Amino acid sequence: MNVGFHASGIFPRSEKLIQATRDFAHKRCSKEDVRKAFEADARELVEMQRKEGFSFITDGMLLWDDIFRPFSESLGGVKAGGVTRYFENNTFFRQPVITGRLALNGPFIQKYLFKEWVKGDFPKIINLPGPYTFSVLSEDSYYHDRQKLMQEFSVILNAVAKELEKLGINYIRFSEPALAYAETRPGENRRKGIIENYRMMFDGVKAGTSLNLFFGDITHIIDFIPELPFSGLDIDFTETSIRNLGISLKSVSLGCIDSRSSFLEDPENIARQARAFAESVNPERLYLTPNCDLEFLPYSIAAKKMSILKEAARLLANP
Amino acid sequence: MKLFQTQEIGSLAKPNWRVKKIQNNALAEHDYQDIRKWSEILGINSAALAELLKKELTPESRKRITEFSSLFAIKLCEKAGLDIVFSGEQFRTEMYQEAIENINGFVFHGHTRSFDSKYYKKAAVVSPPALKKNYHLEEFLFTKNNASKPIKLPLTGAYTLADWSFNEFYTRKFSASSDPKEARYRAKSAFALDLAKNVMQPLFKGLIDAGCSFIQVDEPAAATHANEIPILAESFNESVKGLDCKFSMHICFSDYRRLFPHILEMKKCSQFALEFANRDDERRKGYASLELFNEYNDNREIGLGVIDVHNNFIEPRELVRDRILYAARILDPERIFVNPDCGLRTRSWDIAFSKLRNMAEGAGLARMSYEGKL
């Protein structure tokens, strides 16, 4: 079994960067000063991951105000709406409001990525919003048909994934918390449509992909998983009981660090649990990861948790 | 009783002159102009304030500057025409940090994002919480002595303080459990109940003893976790046990359906002040969830959010009126109080004042319309 570790999704901003964004909001510094503060944070994060030997490197998605924002700011037919709670967190997103047919007005994703990171000679990872979660969390005033909305968003995601691939991004995780979260899990009748959309989304995409499931126990949708056309599966281990999993998986990211708790995990305990998991699922590749985006933690705690991740992976690979 | 009484939810922005001085930064001429402008609008003699701001900052001048900004906030609410007022939470850093800094048992870890580039400083509980001092008493007494209208004191409730904190102490306590989800629930429940007993009870009691007759318990986290509403209800009940005061609860940006039926157990809560305008449209879609209260035969007062606090759009008074009248078709009008969706701290005073004034005037229009005078 090949063991690795990574942390993707939206990363917390450092205290210094937060201060810079506040200063800018109160006109105490220039746009250029804030831009430099963002770049410094991204550079530091990338360097830290490289130094620690992370399997994939993220730029922390620091320019993303929420997972949907680049899309609601850039696509036709959608706008960023009211402030809305993001699942069971004290973190909010601006709800995408669908006002017309979704339209790609040319490439846009690059402006949400850090140039130095894009140019970097290392494996790169990014998260995109999954079409099911997008359809569940949007306010649809146009399609009035979730399947149709998912379908058209999947076409857009296909183009964005290809654009990312062209930019040298190696691994795209599709964040689909709504598939795992108890109150938004799809019923049997919707699953076929979801799978069709994923196939459409991957048409011609060669980068590694995974289905990033978090905020829920995936054992409730376990029978659905083998049919999904992803090269990897990301499991929220803080919500899912491994005893009930009972399937074989090729590539798994085990979300064993709780991104919503400052309680620091014991690396030995994580390694022990991951080993038990690997014995039951028998994957070819196993990545240790946080259970979801680390943005729910302050920067200092997130950094500590990344060190724990590295140590747990070391213990797992070298028992 | 006067129909559609208007009230604030709590916070107003801190004026620039206050922020700058307390951070020991120099004030610009436009800051002094701002003081003169608001002094004139609100009828406040600010000569002493201008003198204070020119002198070196001392603990005493810091206190007086805070009192001045509170006085401006009280008078802003009164001038806007509100029936029930407060001092804009000018004594507080903000609703979470201020409380936690005055409770033993916590350590701050840093900032986490609320949304966009808005953050809050988040702490972890590391030992059983206990009240250090009654952190709202001085603020209450100042407001009471300076307001000419009835007061409602807003403060952050036990469940939200627990939910917005990291739970290290109680997580460790229940870590031996074989079911991590069950352990999380028990850890949260123990945390919230300890806050209710050891912090909220003495805090409320001190305020009531000082003459406070209306406390708004802010629980914006109330509906965050569908399975934890019983903890919200239990911690509220424990907080107010044996106390004689009018209690309301403010909840916002949440799925209100989740609250039922458990909030029916919160017998001492006589009003729910809720956000609606943020989710409204031309068909008054935002107010549809009011039906829930009828569905569950819950006849308590509703604080109706009619002002969106996240944008600078000044709701016309006719829009405010329409929102109130829509609600009055669902609920008994005598149960309806009128307020912004949430505190207006992210808006400038110009915007906040215009919004509040239109809110009060819109409530007046609704009152006249309802009473057949329009």
Side-chain angles (χ1 to χ4, degrees), chain A residues 6-227:
Chain A
H6 64 80
S8 73
I10 300 177
F11 203 78
R13 294 171 182 174
S14 71
E15 297 293 327
K16 208 171 162 187
L17 177 54
I18 291 169
Q19 190 55 51
T21 59
R22 285 178 167 170
D23 287 345
F24 179 64
H26 292 99
K27 298 182 178 133
R28 292 193 289 259
C29 77
S30 69
K31 200 172 176 178
E32 181 61 12
D33 293 333
V34 188
R35 189 185 62 78
K36 281 184 185 161
F38 269 106
E39 281 175 358
D41 249 35
R43 195 173 300 125
E44 191 178 309
L45 179 62
V46 167
E47 275 166 21
M48 186 264 272
Q49 293 170 89
R50 292 189 70 186
K51 199 173 132 208
E52 300 287 352
F54 276 59
S55 310
F56 295 95
I57 312 291
T58 170
D59 70 349
M61 298 173 68
L62 298 173
L63 295 172
W64 298 46
D65 277 339
D66 59 56
I67 189 74
F68 305 115
R69 198 65 61 83
F71 296 85
S72 44
E73 281 177 349
S74 313
L75 298 181
V78 57
K79 61 178 186 183
V83 174
T84 309
R85 187 179 295 282
Y86 189 55
F87 294 92
E88 298 193 358
N89 304 293
N90 188 32
T91 299
F92 299 78
F93 67 102
R94 290 207 176 265
Q95 187 177 36
V97 180
I98 315 296
T99 54
R101 187 167 185 192
L102 295 182
L104 191 60
N105 304 319
F108 67 89
I109 205 73
Q110 200 167 352
K111 69 177 179 197
Y112 296 92
L113 313 175
F114 287 95
K115 282 182 194 150
E116 277 181 44
W117 172 74
V118 171
K119 283 185 202 154
D121 184 21
F122 42 73
K124 290 179 272 285
I125 189 167
I126 196 168
N127 280 51
L128 290 177
Y132 180 70
T133 299
F134 178 80
S135 71
V136 169
L137 298 189
S138 293
E139 184 190 317
D140 179 11
S141 312
Y142 177 75
Y143 293 98
H144 305 294
D145 175 349
R146 184 170 294 168
Q147 176 61 19
K148 185 75 183 156
L149 172 58
M150 273 197 285
Q151 212 173 56
E152 303 228 329
F153 191 60
S154 298
V155 173
I156 305 257
L157 285 172
N158 178 267
V160 173
K162 284 177 179 164
E163 191 190 340
L164 288 168
E165 205 175 80
K166 211 185 284 178
L167 291 167
I169 313 303
N170 312 72
Y171 189 176
I172 306 170
R173 300 175 97 189
F174 288 87
S175 299
E176 285 282 36
L179 277 180
Y181 182 63
E183 290 182 23
T184 52
R185 263 178 224 142
E188 297 277 345
N189 56 344
R190 198 168 287 287
R191 293 182 179 185
K192 201 174 152 218
I194 293 173
I195 293 167
E196 276 170 19
N197 286 324
Y198 286 149
R199 293 211 170 102
M200 191 185 305
M201 193 166 83
F202 291 141
D203 185 31
V205 174
K206 293 177 196 71
T209 57
S210 67
L211 179 63
N212 190 200
L213 298 172
F214 48 95
F215 297 158
D217 185 341
I218 68 151
T219 56
H220 298 284
I221 52 165
I222 200 75
D223 53 327
F224 171 49
I225 286 168
E227 298 177 57

Side-chain angles (χ1 to χ4, degrees), chain B residues 106-136:
Chain B
F106 288 86
V107 288
F108 281 100
H109 280 321
H111 288 89
T112 52
R113 175 143 71 180
S114 174
F115 66 97
D116 294 353
S117 288
K118 307 278 183 223
Y119 292 84
Y120 74 104
K121 205 170 161 189
K122 190 161 177 172
V125 65
V126 294
S127 61
L131 187 65
K132 277 186 208 168
K133 66 162 191 176
N134 194 318
Y135 48 90
H136 291 315

Side-chain angles (χ1 to χ4, degrees), chain B residues 8 25 58 100 105 147 154 175 181 190-191 197 217 230 232-233 253 346 352:
Chain B
E8 233 293 55
N25 292 324
T58 64
I100 297 299
S175 61
K181 283 186 228 168
F191 182 14
K197 280 183 221 160
V217 180
L232 167 82
F253 310 108
T346 59

Side-chain angles (χ1 to χ4, degrees), chain B residues 248-283:
Chain B
S248 69
M249 184 172 281
H250 166 57
I251 301 171
C252 51
F253 310 108
S254 303
D255 176 0
Y256 304 136
R257 183 166 288 278
R258 284 183 170 182
L259 300 170
F260 291 94
H262 305 288
I263 60 164
L264 299 173
E265 299 305 315
M266 292 162 42
K267 310 277 187 217
K268 281 189 139 179
C269 180
S270 53
Q271 182 187 112
F272 287 96
L274 306 174
E275 153 266 329
F276 295 105
N278 169 67
R279 57 184 90 185
D280 196 30
D281 65 7
E282 300 75 19
R283 293 163 293 152

Side-chain angles (χ1 to χ4, degrees), chain B residues 121-318:
Chain B
K121 205 170 161 189
K122 190 161 177 172
V125 65
V126 294
S127 61
L131 187 65
K132 277 186 208 168
K133 66 162 191 176
N134 194 318
Y135 48 90
H136 291 315
L137 189 59
E138 191 185 355
E139 176 187 42
F140 167 70
L141 291 173
F142 179 86
T143 311
K144 188 176 111 177
N145 292 336
N146 288 280
S148 51
K149 299 261 185 86
I151 301 168
K152 168 169 63 70
L153 178 90
L155 50 78
T156 313
Y159 179 78
T160 292
L161 291 179
D163 192 60
W164 287 3
S165 299
F166 293 118
N167 190 355
E168 293 181 16
F169 176 73
Y170 298 91
T171 299
R172 197 166 286 117
K173 202 172 168 185
F174 291 98
S175 61
S177 166
S178 59
D179 180 343
K181 283 186 228 168
E182 172 66 16
R184 269 204 295 268
Y185 186 91
R186 291 175 66 196
K188 182 72 157 287
S189 177
F191 182 14
L193 284 178
D194 274 0
L195 277 167
K197 280 183 221 160
N198 304 333
V199 177
M200 295 298 140
Q201 261 281 328
L203 181 74
F204 291 4
K205 191 170 183 314
L207 293 164
I208 296 164
D209 289 347
C212 187
S213 57
F214 190 177
I215 293 176
Q216 171 186 290
V217 180
D218 291 332
E219 290 284 14
T224 309
H225 308 279
N227 66 329
E228 291 183 6
I229 313 298
I231 302 178
L232 167 82
E234 213 180 327
S235 62
F236 174 84
N237 290 340
E238 194 62 44
S239 300
V240 302
K241 200 191 237 172
L243 301 178
D244 184 19
C245 182
K246 176 173 180 173
F247 289 104
S248 69
M249 184 172 281
H250 166 57
I251 301 171
C252 51
F253 310 108
S254 303
D255 176 0
Y256 304 136
R257 183 166 288 278
R258 284 183 170 182
L259 300 170
F260 291 94
H262 305 288
I263 60 164
L264 299 173
E265 299 305 315
M266 292 162 42
K267 310 277 187 217
K268 281 189 139 179
C269 180
S270 53
Q271 182 187 112
F272 287 96
L274 306 174
E275 153 266 329
F276 295 105
N278 169 67
R279 57 184 90 185
D280 196 30
D281 65 7
E282 300 75 19
R283 293 163 293 152
R284 301 282 80 84
K285 188 194 79 172
Y287 296 83
S289 46
L290 284 170
E291 298 280 6
L292 279 168
F293 289 85
N294 290 342
E295 206 178 296
Y296 285 90
N297 287 322
D298 187 339
N299 296 319
R300 287 175 280 191
E301 294 168 3
I302 291 293
L304 192 74
V306 295
I307 299 291
D308 191 338
V309 299
H310 288 139
N311 61 38
N312 287 341
F313 170 66
I314 309 298
E315 288 81 355
R317 47 195 203 141
E318 291 77 12

